[in-house]
Every structure is written in structure tokens, then in C-alpha cells.
Amino acid sequence: ALGLGALHTPVLAVVAALATAATVLLWYDAEPLEPRPAATVLFAVGALLIAWTAVQLVPLPRGALAALAGENADIWSRCLSPLREDGPATAPISLEPIATRVQVLRGLTYLVVFAGALRVARRQEGIAFLERALLVSTVAIAGAALVHPVIGARKVFGLYEPQETLGYDVHHIAPLLNMNHLAAYVNIGACIALACVLDRREALPRPPALVIVLLLGATTVWSLSRGGTATLILGSLLVAMMTFGARRIRRARIAGPLALVAIAIGGGAVLLLSAFDDTRSKFAQNDLSKVDLVKNAFALVRDHPFFGVGRGAFEATFPKVRHGTGYWVYTHPENVIAQWTTEWGVPIALVAMVAIAWALRPRTALARSRPPAGPWAALVAVALHNLVDFSSEVPGVMIALTVCAAMVTGGTGGGKPVPHRGSSWTARPNALALGLGGATLALVVWALPFSDDELYNEQRSFKDEALDPALTKDGFHARAREAMLRHPAEPYFPFVGAVRATVVR
């Protein structure tokens, strides 16, 4: 999360390697683990989504692709039409193959983290360790976010200067530059800390936990994220409900701490809203543009219902159906349902959502001897937040949520381990450790060399080369052909070709 959420593939590769090393050390030569059915379902869903994303990259003859996904085949067949050339004879389902490669690596990273955290979370002391780790991480993020504007920083940690002026607020420089991403991340820690306040837990004593709740709550309000603020309130209520229902504690014991937290958060919010005009005006805006964006995005489902446009291909394919005007680039639909259905297709997305919802239902958390109220509330709150934002597409946030999912589904559910169908994946710890390690190494080697060819990077390098008058016509056509075959649906490259034609006459 401190590394800009691992949005850049080189950072993601380092994170994947470190996470895999930790998981291999946790599983290798360890005793077999009998997972609960919910944990097995989550692991299976992760493996299924990774496999399906990889299938979207398999090259198919044009006729076979047309039979499976006609719109995808049509785009591939015409991707070189600005050069008066036919499309390739073979092509994958994905309309953004480079991005889909990276998504395979992201998915495996989440699966590796889940497997490692599941091993740690088998006991209550392991849950306490993981909760402390997330609290330290979220406090570090919140502290960095609040310190940067105080010292007038224009670069993250004095090293990274954001390039897209419309993508962030210069007064809100933080390791997670998008304020919705920042709010989603610190809300995870806020839910965990609040659970420590309401119910004595090993992770943290009540006094420092209360301080952390106040810090993270204030950071969410400061971020100006309306969705983040709303889900912070919802997450707090869910923590209280889970604590009440699970522990059957008399209200008198927690009425005081709960009232103190509510008053502190409410008072801080009122102070911020009254002190800063921009904060107050931002929350008062009745901007429903995201609703229109989501409605518009579902037009891609109509054209690509079964196989999707390819994981990570939304940005390149959305202009195909986009309505409205303006020089905005929509990288995501800012709605997790629209994101998954457009990129994976309706069948796979629907199966994954139903399975995840079943595995993380309240009963799963309540079955543990001491229910992880904070992690469960964080999962629900961030999931609902992703109906209006897109923090689920940020590896830093997703890794934290994966750890929360392991805490919710780990252990034995309050009883002795019960063997069940499908639990064999943990029966051979050494094979699992070596398999995950080898797969991660292979994917890093497979995806990392293409980081310079990702859409954002290629758009900028292509523009600079195309506007160079020293570049010959044949040289430009060769460069354009490479870019269009890597990003067949992206309209930016033909546009830059038109600009070049104007410049060089």
C-alpha cells in the first residue's frame, strides 16, 4: 500500500515475490491443515478466476474466436484498418492482452496471500498478529497522508510526482493518491481497531485502539470520499452488531466506549465540515455522474455477455459504447459488478460473486470461537464501497482484504477439524508451497518484461515517437502496428496517427 498501492507492475512483482516467500516458509514442512469449507470455496474461486483470466489470453483462429465471441473477433479483425491492413489470423478473447497478463499476476498474488494468512489465522494468536499487521499498515498510510500536505509535499515521499493532474488532488498527496482508495484502505484498520475497543482482544488494548479509530476516522473524513465516509459509518455499525450478537455482552459494558467513539467521530466530522469550505461543498454535491457511468458501462455486457472483453480491458473498450462528451478517460466503471461482468463475462462473474458471498456470510465469522468482527465488517464495508468506487482494482487494498478473508474463514469454526470434500488442496503442504512459489516466479518472468508496453506507458511513448518529424513513414507504420496489435480496441493510437498526419502533412 505504501508503494502507491502496487499499481505499477514492477512494484507488484516485488510484492508478489515477498508474499510468496512468506507463504512458502509458512507452508513448507508444516503439518497438514484441515480448512473450513468457506476457506476452500474462496481458494477455489481464486484459482478459477486466475485460470479463466489466463484462458482469455489463449490465441484462437479467427473463425473459432468469431464463433465464441463475435464482437471480440470483429475488433481484432479491424484493429489494423487505419493502416489499410487486415487483423491477425489468430487472436485471444482479451482485447487488452498486456493488461490481462498483469491481472493474472495480481490474482495469483492475492491467492498466495490468502494461503499464507490462512495458515497464520488457524489460531487466535495468529488472528491477533494479522490484525496488528493491518493496524500498523493503515496507521502508516493515514499518517503519511496527513503529513504530506502539512509539509507542503508535491511528491509522494519526496520521490514520486503524479503525472495526471486530474487524477488526484494536489492538497491531498498520499501513498494512495486516489482519495477513495485511501478511504477504503484506512476503513479496514478503523473496523479492526473499533472491534478492539468494543471487545477486549489480544491484538491491541482499548486506549491505543481508540486513538487509532479516531485517527483513521478523521483521515476518511479528510479524504472527502463520500462513499468512504458512508461505509465507515456502516462498518462501525456492523462491528457493533457482530460484537453484540457473538459475545452476548451486556449493553452496559460497551455503551460507554461505543458512545465515546460515536461522539468523537461525529464531533471530528462536524469540525472538519465546518472548518473547510471545500470539504463541506464536496459532501454537499449531488453528483450522480458515476451512476450514469455504470449504466453506460453495462452496454459492454450486451456486446460481450459470455466471455467479456478481457480482464483489465475496460479502459480500452469503454469508448466503444461511451456516451457523452468531455476529455475524460474512464479507466474503470467504478462499480465492482460492472467491472467483473464486463471483463470476465456474466457467467463467471456471477458464479464468483455468489460463491464469495456464501463463503463470507455472517455465519462463517460467527462460527469462530472469537468472531473476527473487525475483519468481517471491513470486508462488507469495502465491498459496498466498491459499488460506487473501484478500490478492488488496487492490489494494496485487495491484499489487505484477502488477509481479512483469511481471518474470517480460517481456523476450525469453533470445533474440531472436519474433513470435507475438496480439502485435499492443503493435505500436502510442501506441494502447495512449491506450486505457489513456482507459479509466482513463472508469472513474474512472464508479465514483468511487458510493463513498458502497458496502455498508460505505451500511450505516452507512442505519442512522443509519432510527433517526432525525424521518424519516417515506414518507421511510424511499424511502430503503430506494434501498438495496435498490443491494444486492439484502444482508439488513442489511431487518433495520434491522425495528429501525426496533420503535423507532417
Side-chain angles (χ1 to χ4, degrees), residues 71-72 300-308 341-342 344-348:
E71 289 289 332
N72 302 54
L300 283 174
V301 177
R302 179 194 63 215
D303 293 341
H304 309 267
F306 300 111
F307 298 95
T341 54
T342 57
W344 272 319
V346 173
I348 291 294

Side-chain angles (χ1 to χ4, degrees), residues 199-225:
D199 185 16
R200 294 184 184 277
R201 301 186 68 85
E202 295 86 348
L204 200 65
R206 278 178 172 169
L210 178 58
V211 173
I212 290 176
V213 170
L214 298 178
L215 170 66
L216 299 181
T219 304
T220 296
V221 176
W222 171 82
S223 72
L224 306 181
S225 172

Side-chain angles (χ1 to χ4, degrees), residues 255-290:
L258 181 59
L260 181 60
V261 171
I263 291 172
I265 293 177
V270 170
L271 286 174
L272 282 172
L273 291 173
S274 60
F276 302 105
D277 290 337
D278 58 341
T279 305
R280 189 168 57 249
S281 62
K282 174 68 179 292
F283 277 105
Q285 288 178 1
N286 186 25
D287 185 2
L288 299 178
S289 59
K290 288 186 178 180

Side-chain angles (χ1 to χ4, degrees), residues 361-442:
R361 66 199 189 280
R363 183 182 299 179
T364 302
L366 290 170
R368 298 212 66 164
S369 57
R370 295 199 66 183
W376 180 80
L379 286 166
V380 177
V382 177
L384 293 175
H385 190 188
N386 273 276
L387 295 178
V388 293
D389 289 312
F390 67 103
S391 60
S392 63
E393 297 302 305
V394 181
V397 177
M398 279 301 298
I399 286 172
L401 292 176
T402 302
V403 173
C404 289
M407 285 189 276
V408 170
T409 61
T412 60
K416 295 182 178 180
V418 178
H420 58 88
R421 185 179 302 174
S423 64
S424 58
W425 64 277
T426 59
R428 297 180 179 179
N430 289 358
L432 178 64
L434 295 177
L436 291 176
T440 303
L441 177 62

